[in-house]
Every structure is written in C-alpha cells, then in structure tokens.
Amino acid sequence: MSVRVIVEKCKGCSICVKCCPFSAIDMENKIAVIGDACTGCGVCVDECPFDAIEKTEDHVKKDLSEYKGVWVFAEQREGKLMPVVIELLGEAKKLAAEIGTDVSAVVCGDEVDALTHELFAYGADKVYQAVHPELKNYRTDAYTKVIEEAINRYKPEIILLGATHIGRDLGPCLAVRCDTGLTADCTKLEIDPDDKKIRQTRPAFGGNLMATIICPNHRPQMSTVRPGVMDKAEYVAGREGVAIRLDVNFKEDEIRTKIIKIVKEAGELASLTDAEFIVSGGLGLGNPEGFELLKKLADKLGGTIGSSRACVDSGWIDHSYQVGQTGTTVKPKIYFACGISGAIQHLAGMQSSDYIIAINKNENAPIFEVADYGIVGDLYEVIPAILEEL
C-alpha cells in the first residue's frame, strides 16, 4: 500500500507535511510531494481537508489459497546444519500436522547432498536444493534471490528461520521482496484452531509481556525463532523424501558483496545452545573471579558457564556467555542460577530448562519462583560442597 497526491486537488496548505510521522512529505511549488521515506501509513490521507491524497494498491493481490506447506530455512555453515534447524523441523512437523500439509526444507550451498539426506532423517518431506559456488558462504543478495524465486514459484504457506545472525538478516529481506510480514525472535508458535493461521508469540517491551502476532492478509507467514526454545526433531536413519533442484543463475552485478577472507575468532567461546548443563552467574558473584568457581562445577558436569546481562555489562565476561532476552535462549537438562536475582529478561532465556537449581543468599529472590530446587546460602560455600559430593 502506498499514497499519492492528487495534484488538481492540492491547495498547498502543508497540513500533510506537519502530520507526517516520518517527515516524508515536502512542499514544491505549493504542491505536496511524497518522498522515499513514506511507509504508506495513511495519516496524511486522513488529515488532508481537501481529499487531495489517496491510498493506492502497489502490489498484485495474492490468492492466499494457493499457498501450501511449511518451509524451514536449513541454515548451514561449512557444510554443517545449525542446531536450530533441527529444532525448527520439530516445530514444523507439529504445525504441518495441524493444518494437514507437508514439511519442506530449503538449503543453499555448494555441495548439499549430505545435508539433504540429513534433513530427510530429521523429518523433511521435501528438500529444495539451491546449489552454486556463490552459495557456499552466506551473502544477503545471493541467498535472498534464490529463495525469493523459490517462494514465488512453489508458494509455501509458512516459512520458519532461526533467529541467528544469518536468519535475522535473511528474514527481513525475504519479507520485503515477497510483500509479507515477519515476526522476529518468536518463542512460541501455534495454529489457530478456527482459521488455521499461525499465531506467533514473542517477548515485547523488553520481555515484560508476550505479544501474539498474526499475518492474516499476506503469504507466506514468516517467523524467525530463537535457538534453544523448541524441541528438536527426532532423527530417523534411512528416512527419505523428495529432492528438488532449484534453478540458480546470477547476473554479473546481482551479488554486491565479496568474501575476501574469513577470520575465525581465536580463544574459547561459549556453546550455550547445545550444552546439557549450564552454570550461570550473576552480580551475586561479587567479582569476575567468581566465574572460575562456576567453571569448576561446569567442567565437572561436562557443561559450560553462562552469565546474566549485568555481568556482561560490568565487563566481567564475554557477551557470548550471556543468557536471556538480549543474549542466548537455552534449554539444558540442568540450569544452575548462582547469584542471579531472576529479572524477567533473564528468565525469558532459560525458563524452559528441564531443571532449574537456584543458589542465592536472598530467600525472596524472584529466581526461586521458577526454580525446581532452591538453595538459600552463600554460593562460595554451596558450590564447593556440591563439588565435593560429585
């Protein structure tokens, strides 16, 4: 939807200039001119006293009944599927079962046959393969072009992407190209029993409430989903499906970026998403050296340490260890919350853990409301005692 000025009716009153929330309207020779910043919100249409601005349809209306199937973007790096893909396939199977359709994955790369068989094993009924040397590593232009063309041809009803660095870049680009909406960072997906639309739930206002969003008038319905939130699909060895090779061609100037060099960061970084045991610390540690004690417990359990945002902001630990609304969402078997008060933003990232064990000197700390086991005491006494028992 966009707006246009009816020149014959415009009186040059400039009311539209003053009311535009995006400063997208200027006056030229006493005639309103709509600029590139216009979002088509329609405020100027309602405010113009001379009916000199009107809304226009700038896209072809879609037949929503043509869109079928649930697609998962199978993100791969260096020939390996990202763990979130397996979670998305598990969720896609649930959604597809409720609306009576199939599950497909779309994978981009240079050599994807091994990934295709892996996707079948995790539940994909079809795998759309985009194979080209330019797709070996992710680049926005290349991936957007081939997946947009596939969407326009095969018309999926729902598309799920992981809320990773790549998914958060690719999702909005596809949504714009396909003239549809995108709900980002979802933590819950469900099918409306009445009209079979997908209901997409995500934290809003800093995690203080949960917003459920629908996309009733456009297709496909698109969501990015936080890693570590959904249950992983079951692996069934030998399961097969239908592989569909996509036509991939690039013109000379279609890919505007080049990968000159890939530099991997040296040093130890957290692998929170896959960890079965996470020992997290908050400001209750008192100092950054407290993480050394937490690491002893994590190492003993074969897990990793984590952190609240407060510790990251204080410079005690790298951001890669942060659990919570603005960090990583995790779902380990056991989550130790040591010296963490339990702010809602932190809880949003770990409350789906199988078991939560909270250690805090303050017996009224909010963390105890979600903990399966609570220990009121000094973590510098409690953790050594746990280590000794182990």
Side-chain angles (χ1 to χ4, degrees):
M1 194 75 71
S2 60
V3 297
R4 76 178 186 94
V5 176
I6 305 172
V7 177
E8 297 79 11
K9 293 184 177 182
C10 182
K11 305 299 182 183
C13 66
S14 75
I15 290 176
C16 56
V17 176
K18 299 173 184 175
C19 74
C20 178
F22 303 100
S23 301
I25 306 177
D26 294 314
M27 301 301 297
E28 295 181 6
N29 299 321
K30 296 185 178 180
I31 297 293
V33 176
I34 310 295
D36 293 337
C38 177
T39 65
C41 68
V43 172
C44 57
V45 177
D46 297 332
E47 295 294 331
C48 179
F50 306 105
D51 296 326
I53 306 178
E54 65 178 0
K55 289 186 176 181
T56 61
E57 291 283 348
D58 56 2
H59 62 275
V60 178
K61 192 171 181 63
K62 298 176 181 178
D63 181 358
L64 303 189
S65 65
E66 294 181 352
Y67 289 78
K68 306 290 184 183
V70 181
W71 278 22
V72 169
F73 169 58
E75 180 182 338
Q76 60 87 15
R77 300 185 192 182
E78 297 183 340
K80 295 182 180 180
L81 291 177
M82 292 294 96
V84 69
V85 175
I86 302 170
E87 298 173 18
L88 293 178
L89 286 169
E91 191 66 17
K93 287 175 67 69
K94 296 176 187 177
L95 299 175
E98 292 194 47
I99 58 179
T101 189
D102 55 15
V103 175
S104 300
V106 55
V107 58
C108 302
D110 190 10
E111 298 178 0
V112 300
D113 287 341
L115 297 178
T116 298
H117 292 297
E118 189 175 355
L119 290 166
F120 287 146
Y122 279 115
D125 300 304
K126 300 176 185 175
V127 174
Y128 294 91
Q129 304 169 324
V131 182
H132 196 282
E134 297 284 5
L135 299 173
K136 181 177 181 180
N137 295 301
Y138 175 77
R139 281 181 289 172
T140 306
D141 291 335
Y143 274 52
T144 299
K145 179 182 186 293
V146 297
I147 297 176
E148 177 203 357
E149 290 175 351
I151 291 170
N152 291 335
R153 179 176 179 181
Y154 295 101
K155 294 180 169 52
E157 184 176 3
I158 296 170
I159 299 179
L160 307 180
L161 305 93
T164 61
H165 296 302
I166 289 177
R168 286 170 171 164
D169 179 71
L170 177 62
C173 295
L174 290 174
V176 171
R177 292 281 191 91
C178 298
D179 190 29
T180 190
L182 171 74
T183 304
D185 277 7
C186 294
T187 57
K188 182 180 180 182
L189 301 172
E190 57 187 346
I191 298 296
D192 190 310
D194 297 325
D195 57 19
K196 301 302 181 181
K197 288 193 296 289
I198 187 173
R199 301 176 62 179
Q200 306 155 101
T201 301
R202 70 178 304 277
F205 294 99
N208 292 308
L209 59 84
M210 304 299 284
T212 298
I213 299 168
I214 60 173
C215 182
N217 301 320
H218 299 269
R219 292 295 181 272
Q221 303 165 92
M222 292 182 61
S223 309
T224 60
V225 179
R226 282 200 156 206
V229 173
M230 308 299 182
D231 294 328
K232 291 184 176 181
E234 181 183 354
Y235 184 89
V236 180
R239 188 181 186 277
E240 291 296 330
V242 179
I244 301 170
R245 185 65 68 99
L246 301 174
D247 293 329
V248 180
N249 294 292
F250 296 108
K251 296 179 182 177
E252 185 175 348
D253 298 327
E254 281 187 313
I255 304 175
R256 295 169 292 177
T257 56
K258 292 183 179 179
I259 297 176
I260 306 301
K261 183 192 293 187
I262 297 176
V263 181
K264 296 184 179 181
E265 184 172 350
E268 182 182 357
L269 291 177
S271 180
L272 293 169
T273 305
D274 299 325
E276 294 188 344
F277 300 92
I278 298 176
V279 184
S280 272
L283 286 181
L285 290 176
N287 56 69
E289 287 72 28
F291 283 104
E292 296 176 9
L293 177 60
L294 302 191
K295 193 173 188 311
K296 290 180 181 179
L297 178 57
D299 290 343
K300 190 72 175 177
L301 296 169
T304 184
I305 58 173
S307 169
S308 68
R309 176 175 177 173
C311 293
V312 174
D313 289 346
S314 298
W316 291 2
I317 194 168
D318 187 82
H319 177 267
S320 64
Y321 291 91
Q322 183 179 323
V323 174
Q325 177 68 29
T326 52
T328 302
T329 300
V330 298
K331 195 177 180 181
K333 289 183 178 179
I334 297 180
Y335 185 88
F336 286 86
C338 308
I340 295 174
S341 62
I344 191 168
Q345 290 85 351
H346 187 79
L347 299 182
M350 44 67 75
Q351 59 189 0
S352 296
S353 305
D354 290 352
Y355 291 97
I356 299 171
I357 300 174
I359 305 172
N360 203 298
K361 288 193 290 187
N362 178 10
E363 63 181 18
N364 297 314
I367 191 68
F368 288 123
E369 296 179 13
V370 299
D372 297 284
Y373 299 93
I375 303 173
V376 180
D378 186 339
L379 65 91
Y380 289 102
E381 298 176 358
V382 174
I383 292 178
I386 294 175
L387 283 168
E388 185 176 347
E389 289 294 323
L390 291 172

